[in-house]
């Protein structure tokens, strides 16, 4: 049938590849290459063809070509992808061309190769190894087994191949050097739920101070992840575990807890009250100018919301469910 | 068409112009909005961070209220849309139901899982349809270049919440085209507005907002438009802070989605609350030959 044969028919693939050699170039430029390839050809194969047959100076990282090593993450038409598992056909269909750029949020060393040291430094900062609890020493000379149910609590995090696609896609990483990034936090989750680890409390306390709450829950990391690790969802889990285990220690946790408490009062948000609770009296002073600016146009900002009907029911729900959930204990 | 109307907190409070514009547009298009004074806040993602089970329960209660009325829910906020849909998704998990159902039973609420949650954008594009909408346009937005800004929770995670491609969504641009406007494509349209951390670390939140606004501007947008009132707070309400953090003037008018629909269908700017914005909408209105609201 024609439909089955179609993928084999070569298509014209116009590539625009980011090129930058700091030793020779004042600024980056885009080199154009046009190939004819079958639509199912991976972007990586096309780039290697360019390197081998057209321009041997094209520099890129790759290794396994099987979406296991995580080396070939780059931007394909502005999306963080593994080049080895991204076929050219759909890209050409959607965009008419294939623009290849290095990953974002990491300095470019040359062409498509970025300096990953900030990424790895953030990974190292979460202590990605078991830490023993002196009161509960780990067994020496024998295995320290986990039950299948305990292993299940890792969820999808062991699948991570550290390709940094999430790190490249993350707007919080882009805007704030304090944010550890999705991969480091997904890894942290893995150690926090590991029953063999002895530093759970300390890990949660530290990460709450070291940028956990800068996550925007935009889920761009979960969308970018080629292994469906779902970092944004594990970061959510970390936030709940931190609130339950170490409480409110900085503005992010204070905001989330104040928000929940706020809804309990009227069933609807009291915007002014929330600002007062999150900022606290001192920081709130710094917001007075901005508040007045908004209030002039939107006087409802200062009004108390009308309580919902059935508020008692809502409060009963709170009473029934405000106990820490099983995961967070 | 008849829906349980879920305006969310902000549209009933500081973002009242969104509620105003929604009611105008729905009246014009014969979409009946049935308010429910029992609806609570969706938790806005923050309650989910503090207590996931409670968040699902709050929203299951909202979903059950609509179910009891025999109506699907119409939302006008990407975040409400996301949180209510997330509750519907989580509801399919028996382990979640085992925790939430007993709590709901205490308040005599049972949810069968049948309520659909639809954002106004989805209803306009997929139920009314671009062609039908275009036929109703009295004041085409010709010449107005608009950068659509979707809001994260309308799109992602796509496998759970999204009703269209999270990376290449098209519904908002299709709507803008039907209204006669020229959609502007830019990377920031599917990015984050910075709102979730505007209270946690305002400088970072505003830097993120500023980046998306500057991106829309660099691609030629005269205005932005959003289906999310929280994005609107970040992009319009805090635009002055974004300007300060990124060190340049932006002066980007930001519309709520139904305001642009209302304008195109012939509403007067006052009827849509266009005078309530922090960044004046006048320059954008002038492009379509409409006087500014002071």
């Amino acid at each position: 049938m024609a439909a089955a044969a179609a993928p084999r028919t070569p298509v014209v693939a116009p590539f625009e590849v980011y090129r930058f050699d700091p030793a020779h170039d004042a600024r980056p430029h885009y080199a154009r290459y046009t190939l004819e390839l079958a639509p199912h050809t991976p972007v990586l194969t096309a780039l290697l063809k360019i390197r081998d047959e057209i321009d041997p100076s094209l520099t890129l990282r790759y290794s396994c070509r099987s979406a296991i090593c995580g080396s070939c993450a780059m931007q394909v038409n502005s999306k963080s992808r593994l080049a080895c598992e991204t076929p050219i056909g759909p890209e050409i269909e959607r965009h008419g061309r294939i623009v290849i750029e290095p990953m974002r949020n990491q300095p470019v060393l040359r062409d498509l190769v970025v300096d990953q040291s900030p990424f790895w430094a953030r990974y190292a900062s979460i202590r990605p190894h078991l830490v023993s609890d002196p009161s509960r020493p780990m067994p020496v000379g024998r295995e320290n087994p986990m039950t299948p149910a305990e292993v299940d609590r890792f969820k999808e995090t062991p699948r991570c191949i550290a390709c940094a696609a999430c790190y490249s896609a993350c707007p919080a990483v882009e805007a704030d050097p304090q944010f550890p990034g999705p991969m480091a936090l997904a890894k942290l989750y893995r150690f926090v739920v590991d029953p063999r680890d002895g530093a759970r409390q300390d890990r949660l306390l530290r990460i709450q101070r070291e940028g956990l709450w800068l996550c925007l829950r935009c889920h761009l990391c979960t969308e970018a992840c080629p292994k469906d690790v779902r970092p944004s969802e594990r970061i959510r889990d970390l936030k709940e575990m931190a609130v339950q285990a170490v409480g409110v220690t900085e503005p992010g946790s204070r905001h989330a807890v104040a928000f929940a408490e706020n809804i309990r009062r009227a069933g609807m948000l009291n915007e002014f009250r929330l600002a007062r609770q999150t900022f606290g009296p001192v920081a709130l002073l710094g917001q007075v100018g901005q508040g007045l600016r908004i209030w002039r146009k939107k006087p409802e900002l200062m009004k108390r919301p009308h309580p919902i009907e059935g508020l008692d029911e809502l409060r009963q729900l709170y009473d029934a469910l405000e106990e820490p959930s099983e995961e967070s204990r | 068409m008849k829906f349980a109307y879920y305006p969310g907190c902000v549209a009933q409070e500081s973002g009242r112009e969104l509620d105003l514009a929604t009611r105008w547009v729905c009246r014009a298009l014969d979409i009946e909005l049935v308010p429910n004074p029992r609806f609570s806040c969706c938790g806005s993602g923050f309650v989910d961070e503090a207590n996931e089970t409670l968040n699902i329960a709050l929203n299951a209660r909202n979903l059950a209220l609509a179910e009891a009325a025999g109506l699907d829910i119409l939302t006008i906020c990407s975040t409400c849309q996301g949180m209510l849909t997330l509750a519907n998704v989580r509801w399919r998990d028996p382990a979640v139901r085992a925790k939430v159902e007993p709590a709901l039973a205490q308040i005599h609420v049972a949810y069968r899982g049948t309520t659909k949650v639809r954002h106004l954008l989805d209803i306009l594009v997929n139920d009314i349809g671009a062609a039908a909408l275009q036929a109703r346009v009295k004041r085409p937005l010709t010449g107005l270049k608009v950068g659509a800004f979707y809001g994260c929770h309308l799109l992602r995670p796509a496998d759970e919440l999204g009703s269209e491609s999270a990376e290449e969504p098209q519904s908002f641009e299709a709507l803008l085209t039907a209204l006669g406007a020229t959609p502007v494509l830019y990377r920031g349209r599917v990015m984050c507005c910075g709102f979730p951390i505007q209270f946690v670390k305002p400088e970072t939140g505003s830097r993120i907002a500023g980046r998306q606004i500057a991106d829309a501007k660099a691609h030629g947008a005269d205005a932005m438009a959003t289906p999310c009132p929280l994005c609107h707070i970040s992009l319009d309400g805090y635009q002055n802070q974004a300007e300060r953090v990124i060190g340049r003037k932006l002066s980007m008018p930001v519309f709520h989605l139904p305001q642009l629909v209302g304008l195109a269908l012939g509403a007067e700017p006052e009827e849509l609350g266009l005078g309530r914005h922090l960044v004046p909408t006048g320059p954008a209105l002038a492009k379509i030959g409409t006087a500014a609201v002071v």
Side-chain angles (χ1 to χ4, degrees), chain B residues 154-223:
Chain B
L154 196 59
L155 299 172
R156 291 181 297 268
D159 57 352
E160 295 186 329
L161 306 187
S163 57
E164 61 182 313
S165 160
E167 295 185 331
E168 309 286 348
Q170 292 174 355
S171 61
F172 208 157
E173 283 77 13
L175 176 75
L176 292 170
T177 304
L179 304 178
T182 307
V184 172
L185 294 178
Y186 62 109
R187 173 176 178 265
R189 73 195 180 104
V190 296
M191 299 289 289
C192 174
C193 70
F195 178 82
I197 57 168
Q198 285 287 13
F199 278 21
V200 177
K201 199 168 180 184
E203 190 186 328
T204 303
S206 289
R207 181 172 299 121
I208 292 167
R211 201 157 294 207
Q212 320 313 351
I213 302 168
D215 190 17
K217 204 177 174 77
H219 284 80
D222 304 314

Side-chain angles (χ1 to χ4, degrees), chain A residues 75 77-81 94-95 104 155 168-172 174-178 213-220 222-224 228 230 232-233 236-237 239-241 243-244 250-252 255-257 259-260 263 267-271 274-276 278-279 287 290 293-294 297-301 303 305-314 316-318 320-327, chain B residues 8-10 12-17 37-54 57-58 61 65 79 83 86 90 99-100 103-104 106-107 109 152-153 155-161 166-168 170 187 190-202 204-205 207-208 211-212 232-233 236-241 244 256 275-279 293-294:
Chain A
Q75 289 192 85
N77 286 325
S78 301
K79 310 293 171 338
S80 300
R81 293 269 192 270
R94 228 174 280 148
H95 301 275
R104 299 174 71 91
K155 301 193 177 166
S168 167
C170 176
E174 187 176 338
D176 198 319
Q178 200 207 344
W213 291 90
L214 294 177
C215 167
L216 300 150
R217 59 182 142 74
C218 68
H219 301 291
L220 280 158
T222 290
E223 219 55 57
D228 201 26
R230 309 187 80 82
S232 51
E233 296 181 358
R236 191 222 66 81
D237 294 343
K239 287 174 175 171
E240 181 170 354
M241 290 189 284
V243 164
Q244 302 289 0
E250 44 57 70
H255 189 58
V257 170
F259 198 103
I263 304 311
M268 299 299 278
L269 179 65
N270 181 334
E271 293 172 293
L274 181 66
R276 217 176 57 200
T278 301
F279 287 117
Q287 298 290 321
Q290 183 68 6
R293 254 184 91 252
I294 297 177
K297 294 280 186 181
K298 307 181 172 210
E300 302 83 3
L301 191 68
K303 281 194 191 137
H306 211 66
I308 61 162
E309 286 178 21
L311 184 56
D312 287 347
E313 293 170 15
L314 194 82
Q316 279 185 52
L317 272 188
Y318 269 76
L321 295 169
E322 270 192 328
E323 290 299 305
S325 66
E326 199 180 317
E327 267 93 303
Chain B
C9 299
V10 172
Q12 296 177 71
E13 295 168 17
S14 68
R16 209 157 280 191
E17 67 280 359
R38 304 181 77 82
F39 279 151
S40 78
C41 170
C42 73
S44 190
F46 295 108
V47 176
D48 185 43
E49 292 174 329
N51 185 332
E52 182 178 31
T53 309
L54 175 63
L58 291 183
R61 177 180 168 277
L65 288 169
T79 306
M83 287 303 124
L86 186 70
R90 296 283 181 264
K99 279 190 265 182
V100 179
L104 287 174
Q106 280 179 27
I107 57 168
V109 172
C152 297
H153 300 288
L155 299 172
R156 291 181 297 268
D159 57 352
E160 295 186 329
L161 306 187
E167 295 185 331
E168 309 286 348
Q170 292 174 355
R187 173 176 178 265
V190 296
M191 299 289 289
C192 174
C193 70
F195 178 82
I197 57 168
Q198 285 287 13
F199 278 21
V200 177
K201 199 168 180 184
T204 303
R207 181 172 299 121
I208 292 167
R211 201 157 294 207
Q212 320 313 351
H232 194 268
I233 291 174
D236 176 67
Y238 295 149
Q239 194 175 122
N240 64 323
Q241 293 191 356
R244 204 177 317 138
H256 295 286
R276 293 170 49 90
H277 293 213
L278 274 289
V279 179
V293 188
V294 183

Side-chain angles (χ1 to χ4, degrees), chain A residues 54-98:
Chain A
I54 305 173
D55 184 349
S57 72
L58 178 63
T59 310
L60 69 158
R61 273 200 189 102
Y62 70 100
S63 179
C64 76
R65 307 192 194 197
S66 305
I68 294 297
C69 75
S71 301
C72 68
M74 57 183 69
Q75 289 192 85
V76 180
N77 286 325
S78 301
K79 310 293 171 338
S80 300
R81 293 269 192 270
L82 293 181
C84 68
E85 64 162 9
T86 306
I88 61 163
E91 295 298 323
I92 296 167
E93 260 172 49
R94 228 174 280 148
H95 301 275
R97 57 184 184 161
I98 302 177

Side-chain angles (χ1 to χ4, degrees), chain A residues 37-328:
Chain A
L37 296 165
H40 63 262
T41 308
V43 165
L44 178 61
T45 305
L47 291 174
L48 293 178
K49 200 171 161 68
I50 291 170
R51 187 196 65 181
D52 295 344
E53 298 176 14
I54 305 173
D55 184 349
S57 72
L58 178 63
T59 310
L60 69 158
R61 273 200 189 102
Y62 70 100
S63 179
C64 76
R65 307 192 194 197
S66 305
I68 294 297
C69 75
S71 301
C72 68
M74 57 183 69
Q75 289 192 85
V76 180
N77 286 325
S78 301
K79 310 293 171 338
S80 300
R81 293 269 192 270
L82 293 181
C84 68
E85 64 162 9
T86 306
I88 61 163
E91 295 298 323
I92 296 167
E93 260 172 49
R94 228 174 280 148
H95 301 275
R97 57 184 184 161
I98 302 177
V99 180
I100 301 292
E101 293 164 308
M103 280 193 287
R104 299 174 71 91
N105 298 337
Q106 294 152 95
V108 174
L109 293 174
R110 181 169 159 169
D111 293 344
L112 304 173
V113 176
V114 295
D115 175 6
Q116 293 196 295
S117 42
F119 169 74
W120 290 116
R122 286 169 181 196
Y123 173 54
S125 77
I126 62 107
R127 291 179 290 169
H129 49 82
L130 290 176
V131 175
S132 71
D133 174 353
S135 69
R136 220 161 33 90
M138 281 189 222
V140 178
R142 61 179 174 87
E143 289 176 348
N144 190 1
M146 296 169 67
T147 66
E150 286 170 338
V151 173
D152 282 348
R153 295 190 62 192
F154 291 158
K155 301 193 177 166
E156 302 90 346
T157 54
R159 290 186 200 161
C160 176
I161 56 172
C163 68
C166 60
Y167 189 87
S168 167
C170 176
V173 166
E174 187 176 338
D176 198 319
Q178 200 207 344
F179 185 58
M183 177 271 201
L185 290 172
K187 291 282 187 188
L188 175 65
Y189 166 88
R190 178 244 170 277
F191 287 98
V192 166
V193 299
D194 192 319
R196 302 165 300 177
D197 190 72
R200 182 179 195 272
Q201 192 76 6
D202 183 53
R203 287 181 190 278
L204 290 170
L205 191 63
R206 275 209 212 178
I207 201 60
Q208 192 144 269
R209 292 204 199 104
E210 291 169 8
L212 172 63
W213 291 90
L214 294 177
C215 167
L216 300 150
R217 59 182 142 74
C218 68
H219 301 291
L220 280 158
C221 55
T222 290
E223 219 55 57
C225 178
K227 293 294 171 188
D228 201 26
V229 168
R230 309 187 80 82
S232 51
E233 296 181 358
R234 299 298 74 80
I235 295 171
R236 191 222 66 81
D237 294 343
L238 281 175
K239 287 174 175 171
E240 181 170 354
M241 290 189 284
V243 164
Q244 302 289 0
V246 301
V248 166
T249 60
E250 44 57 70
S253 50
R254 198 180 314 133
H255 189 58
V257 170
F259 198 103
E261 190 268 339
N262 198 300
I263 304 311
R264 186 193 177 109
R265 290 178 78 90
M268 299 299 278
L269 179 65
N270 181 334
E271 293 172 293
F272 176 66
R273 189 184 163 79
L274 181 66
R276 217 176 57 200
Q277 286 174 300
T278 301
F279 287 117
V282 178
L284 189 67
L285 276 179
Q287 298 290 321
V288 167
Q290 183 68 6
L292 284 176
R293 254 184 91 252
I294 297 177
W295 173 77
R296 271 182 49 231
K297 294 280 186 181
K298 307 181 172 210
E300 302 83 3
L301 191 68
M302 302 288 279
K303 281 194 191 137
R304 230 182 268 166
H306 211 66
I308 61 162
E309 286 178 21
L311 184 56
D312 287 347
E313 293 170 15
L314 194 82
R315 290 181 177 171
Q316 279 185 52
L317 272 188
Y318 269 76
D319 291 339
L321 295 169
E322 270 192 328
E323 290 299 305
S325 66
E326 199 180 317
E327 267 93 303
S328 51

